[in-house]
């Protein structure tokens, strides 16, 4: 659906013979098996196309044991889209009834799922924060937040109140369809895209501020292609919202961090697929922190381990990848590891816990840091 026949053929050919991007693929590094590298997957797909291999559960495991995080294309000398080649192959696996069991169970759960944000909305209102049902701005949460996340989301809502920006949140929020797209279930991705688009249109909003990176990528690059009518609606990731508020001095830093050392984890969906690498760094500078970059960072940053449905299919491998990223954060000797993605925050928190290193940085969501640096009218 996303690669035409010529692009698909070129990508298979490139991934079959080239080894330039092997160092970019952390799954291959962890698994230590050539089949789980870009070249290995490319060779397997080529053999499948020629009928030399059988479509089976082993093939499905290989195609789902990948982060699919966009990093390979940034390394690829030919700029071939390996990730879309994997998505295309996953679609074929889905059509053949060969989804791994954990992915199949995820899809069964999501077919019955909308996110019930009534407890979150109630908590926000009890904190004295105003939610305006008539607002033309909608905050899209994008997942079922934990109680731990409630405070962070409420702080963002408080920041908007402080800047005199009215907003609303859906009580019943349909999923974006990103997991379906990643898993190759294009029919369900289309149904989800149309449903969330219709829901947003019915809310008569002009802007949607998106909290989750996966959902932001879906809205800005995939929803329309899956049939969702989002005409006339702008989508903005919260990191852009925060940076704009600071630059326009609609919120002011009154308690700067005076050189607190931080390192920043670039969410794959923001940095590589959407190019949002500057805004978070501007924010960290504005609030007075000293940024020490991990190696690598920005558009070539390693994934936290939560990409490509890997934590669902192979959680142990995902955790090992998270631990590797946490070690790179430790090497910066920064006091805080900062994220702008709840998925990254969750995965890296597990990685830090598994590392059990008392000298590792503390983890913080960037919303929490901003909220602590400004004088809010209300406290959460």
């Amino acid at each position: 659906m996303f690669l035409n026949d010529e692009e698909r053929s070129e990508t298979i050919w490139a991934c079959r013979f080239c080894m330039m991007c092997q160092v970019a693929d952390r799954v291959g590094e962890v698994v230590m098996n050539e089949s789980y590298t870009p070249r290995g997957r490319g060779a397997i797909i080529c053999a499948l196309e020629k009928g030399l291999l059988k479509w089976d559960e082993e093939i499905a495991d290989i195609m789902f044991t990948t982060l699919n995080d966009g990093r390979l294309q940034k390394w690829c000398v030919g700029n071939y889209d390996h990730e879309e080649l994997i998505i295309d192959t996953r679609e074929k696996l889905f059509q053949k009834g060969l989804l791994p069991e954990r992915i199949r169970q995820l899809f069964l759960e999501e077919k019955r799922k909308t996110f019930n944000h009534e407890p979150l909305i109630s908590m926000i209102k009890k904190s004295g924060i105003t939610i305006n049902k008539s607002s033309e701005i909608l905050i899209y949460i994008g997942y079922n937040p934990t109680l731990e996340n409630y405070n962070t989301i409420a702080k963002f809502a408080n920041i908007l109140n402080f800047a005199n920006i009215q907003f609303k949140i859906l009580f019943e929020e349909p999923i974006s369809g990103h997991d379906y797209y990643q898993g190759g279930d294009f029919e369900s991705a289309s149904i989800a895209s149309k449903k969330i688009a219709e829901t947003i249109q019915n809310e008569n909003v002009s802007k949607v501020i998106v909290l989750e990176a996966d959902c932001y990528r879906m809205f800005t690059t995939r929803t329309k292609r899956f049939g969702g009518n989002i005409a006339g609606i702008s989508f903005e990731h919260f990191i852009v919202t925060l940076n704009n508020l600071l630059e326009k001095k609609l919120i002011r830093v009154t308690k700067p961090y005076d050189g607190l050392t931080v390192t920043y984890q670039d969410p794959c969906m923001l940095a590589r697929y959407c190019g949002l690498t500057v805004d978070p760094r501007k924010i960290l500078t504005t609030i007075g922190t000293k940024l020490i970059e991990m190696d690598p960072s920005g558009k070539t940053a390693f994934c936290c381990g939560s990409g490509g449905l890997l934590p669902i299919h192979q959680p142990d491998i995902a955790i090992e990848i998270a631990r590797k990223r946490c070690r790179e954060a430790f090497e910066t000797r920064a006091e805080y590891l900062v994220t702008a993605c709840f998925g990254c925050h969750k995965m890296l928190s597990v990685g830090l816990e598994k590392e059990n290193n008392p000298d590792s940085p503390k983890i913080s969501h960037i919303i929490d840091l901003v909220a602590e640096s400004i004088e809010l009218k209300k406290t959460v």
Side-chain angles (χ1 to χ4, degrees):
M1 181 175 181
F2 294 100
L3 288 178
N4 60 40
D5 289 342
E6 182 179 354
E7 290 169 333
R8 176 179 168 79
S9 176
E10 288 182 358
T11 304
I12 293 173
W13 184 262
C15 291
R16 181 186 179 189
F17 291 108
C18 181
M19 292 187 66
M20 292 296 290
C21 64
Q22 302 299 77
V23 294
D25 185 75
R26 189 147 262 184
V27 168
E29 178 186 339
V30 170
V31 177
M32 297 292 289
N33 184 322
E34 179 72 12
S35 297
Y36 292 81
T37 66
R39 185 177 74 159
R41 295 188 201 103
I44 289 169
I45 294 169
C46 184
L48 288 169
E49 296 280 317
K50 293 181 178 180
L52 301 176
L53 284 176
K54 179 182 177 182
W55 293 84
D56 58 19
E57 289 79 7
E58 184 178 1
I59 295 296
D61 176 64
I62 293 170
M63 296 305 158
F64 276 88
T65 306
T66 170
L67 293 164
N68 232 42
D69 59 6
R71 191 169 191 266
L72 296 176
Q73 192 172 356
K74 293 299 175 185
W75 276 80
C76 181
V77 292
N79 195 36
Y80 294 111
D81 200 337
H82 181 85
E83 282 73 25
E84 286 303 328
L85 178 63
I86 296 300
I87 296 292
D88 182 70
T89 306
R90 287 179 174 185
E91 183 193 17
K92 289 179 171 60
L93 288 164
F94 173 79
Q95 295 294 340
K96 294 176 183 293
L98 289 171
L99 281 186
E101 180 59 22
R102 286 175 173 165
I103 304 298
R104 189 182 72 83
Q105 289 297 327
L106 172 70
F107 287 177
L108 287 175
E109 292 170 10
E110 293 200 340
K111 287 184 188 301
R112 301 186 292 269
K113 182 183 291 184
T114 58
F115 300 126
N116 181 358
H117 293 318
E118 188 169 356
L120 172 63
I121 292 170
S122 176
M123 178 265 193
I124 289 175
K125 288 182 176 179
K126 286 179 180 178
S127 300
I129 300 167
T130 302
I131 296 178
N132 185 348
K133 293 183 180 179
S134 300
S135 173
E136 292 186 3
I137 296 177
L138 172 70
I139 297 179
Y140 183 81
I141 311 296
Y143 73 115
N144 260 335
T146 63
L147 291 175
E148 180 184 2
N149 300 148
Y150 274 19
N151 279 335
T152 299
I153 297 170
K155 287 175 184 177
F156 180 68
N158 201 1
I159 290 170
L160 294 182
N161 265 198
F162 184 71
N164 293 318
I165 295 175
Q166 298 181 343
F167 66 90
K168 58 184 167 184
I169 299 173
L170 294 171
F171 277 86
E172 294 288 335
E173 184 183 83
I175 62 176
S176 71
H178 180 267
D179 287 349
Y180 290 136
Y181 155 68
Q182 278 287 316
D185 183 354
F186 287 179
E187 180 180 356
S188 294
S190 177
I191 292 170
S193 294
K194 291 172 183 177
K195 182 177 180 179
I196 184 57
E198 181 181 6
T199 300
I200 293 173
Q201 291 285 8
N202 289 341
E203 289 293 320
N204 296 314
V205 298
S206 58
K207 177 189 284 190
V208 177
I209 299 175
V210 186
L211 294 191
E212 264 300 73
D214 289 353
C215 300
Y216 179 72
R217 186 208 174 189
M218 191 70 182
F219 285 133
T220 55
T221 69
R222 293 293 180 264
T223 299
K224 183 178 179 180
R225 295 177 71 175
F226 275 119
N229 176 18
I230 52 175
I233 300 170
S234 66
F235 291 85
E236 182 174 279
H237 190 264
F238 81 83
I239 204 77
V240 176
T241 307
L242 281 183
N243 188 48
N244 287 341
L245 293 178
L246 286 166
E247 287 189 340
K248 294 175 181 178
K249 302 192 183 307
L250 295 174
I251 55 175
R252 294 176 181 272
V253 176
T254 58
K255 295 176 288 185
Y257 284 98
D258 296 326
L260 177 78
T261 55
V262 302
T263 191
Y264 175 70
Q265 170 64 22
D266 286 279
C268 304
M269 295 299 169
L270 292 188
R272 282 186 279 278
Y273 288 109
C274 300
L276 292 179
T277 58
V278 175
D279 293 81
R281 289 166 170 80
K282 283 184 176 180
I283 291 170
L284 292 171
T285 299
T286 301
I287 63 177
T289 67
K290 178 183 178 182
L291 176 62
I292 306 172
E293 297 281 13
M294 282 184 275
D295 183 22
S297 62
K299 291 185 177 181
T300 58
F302 277 120
C303 179
C304 69
S306 65
L309 302 178
L310 186 62
I312 306 297
H313 176 55
Q314 293 283 11
D316 290 344
I317 296 174
I319 290 171
E320 184 56 35
I321 289 170
R323 294 181 69 176
K324 285 177 175 291
R325 194 55 173 158
C326 288
R327 290 172 204 152
E328 288 159 350
F330 168 74
E331 288 171 3
T332 68
R333 298 300 190 268
E335 297 168 81
Y336 277 85
L337 168 56
V338 181
T339 73
C341 169
F342 289 103
C344 291
H345 192 283
K346 179 180 179 180
M347 201 72 231
L348 293 172
S349 294
V350 174
L352 289 170
E353 181 182 350
K354 294 292 184 181
E355 283 294 283
N356 194 27
N357 182 347
D359 296 321
S360 289
K362 298 176 183 178
I363 190 165
S364 178
H365 198 286
I366 197 168
I367 289 174
D368 294 321
L369 287 183
V370 172
E372 293 301 318
S373 73
I374 64 178
E375 188 92 29
L376 294 174
K377 294 177 181 178
K378 310 176 186 72
T379 59
V380 178

